[in-house]
Amino acid sequence: MPISRKATASLLIATCLLAGCSSANDDAGDSGAAPTGDYTVWDPYPQFDDSSDWVKLLSQCGTDAGVTVKRTGYDTTDLTNKALLAAQQGNSPDVLIVDNPVVSTLADAGVLTTTDEVKVDTAAVSPNLLAAGQIGGKTYGIPIGANTLALYYNKEVLDKAGVDPAAIKDWAGLTAALDKVKASGKKGITFSAIGTEEGSFQFLPWFWGSGANLTQLDSAQGVAALTLWTDWLKNGLAPNSVLNNTQTTSWQEFATGDFAFSENGTWQLANAKKTGFEYGIIPIPSQAGGVAPAPTGGEFVTAPIQDDTARYAVTEKLVNCLTNADNAFTTDTTLSYIAATEAVQTKQVAENPELTVWVDAVKAAKGRTSDDLGTKYPKISQPLWTGFQAALSGSANPQDALTTAQTTAAAATK
């Protein structure tokens, strides 16, 4: 007999020793009619209090749906744990907003409804962004927006080196630019290659930009991507500090004014305006030319499974309210996200032309769990970051480092 999704969630989660969880649904019972009263929303934005535009939007969406929204903001990791435990206990929130790689984990654990079950229309969403929430042909949420990576540059440093950033279209052009910057007495490029998911996130544009696939880490293309990074360090075009850099510390290096380029995300736009020097942004180039696929960040609005399925009628209204064009524009501006639909992206660029490069980057981006990798992705990402750390530190050459990574990933994903 097939095991129900609720039972699957319980079996998968039973071994987790997690902290306590607040009750999320006091209206259990299959009543057959959409309940009124309180509807719970959990999100990963604890930085927003009740006076913020985000919380005001949640409240307004509840009012429009004829219910009261009870919202709780958690740190991202804490939110995932609490969502799993709540599903085990039958206390899931009505709406759950989670980082896009987590969607596959929760769906695999039997925590989430599909968009078909809750009748959420995803037709206008860019397919490459929606793919992060798709597993086995089913969609488990809708993106609230996305961020990704590009290259910030210091105009003064490039001018001194005689580099035109608009002329950089491929890896060879970028490396040649870095050589000129070094010759001019400045530093080349800074990024994060730390041994965590943050490092993998920053490596993926180069890995995917080579034509490599996460199912074969040690392909010739993957080795070429890692060789690019290791050669930059060997030749003094990138600092050894990248081995320990987070995206924040990498940005702090760029903000000193000594570096030509920084690989970083939309979330640094406000900080870029505070650097005191003129900056610009170009997409990360692929090896052969064009925009490299960078990984998408950002959250999905999902609807956890409820015992009382009549609640889904109101849940649908809440999800649609949070993701409709007008509200998505306001929310994505607040979160420094690029919208998930072309119509809102066009509106963003019209208001702020600086976002054009980010819209282009998001259009070329892909989810880390895309290609139906789902819950396999974390089991691939860890060997990947272990591999590039080994190569960058000099303890293995790129080929050997990625061969070891592939062996580990293949065993973990059987």
Side-chain angles (χ1 to χ4, degrees):
M1 175 184 292
I3 299 176
S4 69
R5 287 183 293 182
K6 280 285 189 181
T8 302
S10 296
L11 289 171
L12 289 174
I13 302 162
T15 57
C16 297
L17 298 177
L18 302 172
C21 179
S22 59
S23 176
N25 185 348
D26 296 326
D27 293 321
D30 191 2
S31 65
T36 57
D38 294 346
Y39 273 65
T40 51
V41 176
W42 292 359
D43 66 49
Y45 313 129
Q47 68 271 31
F48 296 133
D49 61 22
D50 290 348
S51 66
S52 67
D53 289 340
W54 168 247
V55 178
K56 289 177 181 177
L57 173 60
L58 290 174
S59 297
Q60 186 59 53
C61 287
T63 299
D64 292 346
V67 299
T68 300
V69 165
K70 298 292 185 182
R71 173 259 181 178
T72 307
Y74 295 101
D75 290 330
T76 296
T77 301
D78 196 30
L79 176 60
T80 303
N81 291 340
K82 288 188 181 298
L84 288 167
L85 184 59
Q88 181 188 9
Q89 297 177 335
N91 292 323
S92 291
D94 294 285
V95 176
L96 177 65
I97 302 168
V98 291
D99 194 17
N100 73 75
V102 176
V103 175
S104 60
T105 299
L106 297 178
D108 189 65
V111 172
L112 303 178
T113 65
T114 67
T115 52
D116 285 343
E117 289 174 288
V118 186
K119 299 181 175 60
V120 172
D121 185 4
T122 62
V125 178
S126 300
N128 66 317
L129 301 183
L130 193 62
Q134 294 176 323
I135 307 138
K138 296 181 179 180
T139 304
Y140 291 90
I142 182 169
I144 202 166
N147 55 34
T148 193
L149 297 166
L151 296 180
Y152 288 84
Y153 65 83
N154 183 321
K155 187 176 185 302
E156 182 180 347
V157 171
L158 293 190
D159 286 347
K160 180 182 178 182
V163 172
D164 176 8
I168 298 173
K169 303 295 184 182
D170 54 24
W171 290 1
L174 177 58
T175 299
L178 297 178
D179 283 328
K180 290 181 179 179
V181 168
K182 181 184 177 185
S184 74
K186 287 291 188 178
K187 299 177 181 179
I189 186 169
T190 179
F191 50 89
S192 170
I194 194 169
T196 67
E197 176 57 29
E198 203 164 354
S200 289
F201 188 79
Q202 290 239 320
F203 184 58
L204 282 174
W206 313 99
F207 184 80
W208 283 333
S210 71
N213 189 291
L214 286 169
T215 58
Q216 192 63 47
L217 299 179
D218 59 346
S219 67
Q221 295 91 338
V223 172
L226 185 49
T227 300
L228 178 74
W229 268 20
T230 56
D231 283 352
W232 283 350
L233 263 67
K234 287 177 184 176
N235 296 324
L237 304 181
N240 289 328
S241 57
V242 300
L243 276 158
N244 297 309
N245 270 347
T246 64
Q247 292 179 108
T248 298
T249 57
S250 171
W251 179 263
Q252 290 167 348
E253 288 182 333
F254 178 67
T256 64
D258 292 332
F259 283 85
F261 294 97
S262 170
E263 179 185 351
N264 232 294
T266 49
W267 53 89
Q268 298 292 5
L269 275 172
N271 289 327
K273 293 177 173 62
K274 300 175 184 176
T275 58
F277 54 78
E278 189 175 353
Y279 71 92
I281 306 163
I282 60 172
I284 297 173
S286 65
Q287 182 177 20
V291 180
T296 56
E299 288 77 42
F300 267 59
V301 184
T302 69
I305 293 170
Q306 304 294 330
D307 290 332
D308 182 359
T309 59
R311 297 183 69 85
Y312 295 158
V314 171
T315 299
E316 176 194 356
K317 294 178 181 179
L318 295 176
V319 173
N320 287 334
C321 178
L322 292 173
T323 58
N324 71 39
D326 290 338
N327 291 336
F329 176 78
T330 301
T331 299
D332 290 335
T333 300
T334 299
L335 298 174
S336 294
Y337 283 169
I338 298 302
T341 65
E342 187 171 352
V344 182
Q345 291 172 359
T346 300
K347 186 176 179 180
Q348 288 181 303
V349 169
E351 182 159 302
N352 183 4
E354 186 180 32
L355 294 179
T356 300
V357 66
W358 293 109
V359 169
D360 291 342
V362 164
K363 286 181 177 178
K366 63 187 293 183
R368 285 161 280 175
T369 58
S370 297
D371 300 327
D372 218 27
L373 286 179
T375 56
K376 292 180 180 179
Y377 173 73
K379 301 172 184 177
I380 296 171
S381 177
Q382 185 165 354
L384 180 62
W385 81 56
T386 301
F388 64 63
Q389 280 259 308
L392 292 172
S393 67
S395 63
N397 64 50
Q399 178 68 69
D400 290 345
L402 290 182
T403 296
T404 299
Q406 176 58 29
T407 299
T408 303
T413 57
K414 280 184 179 179

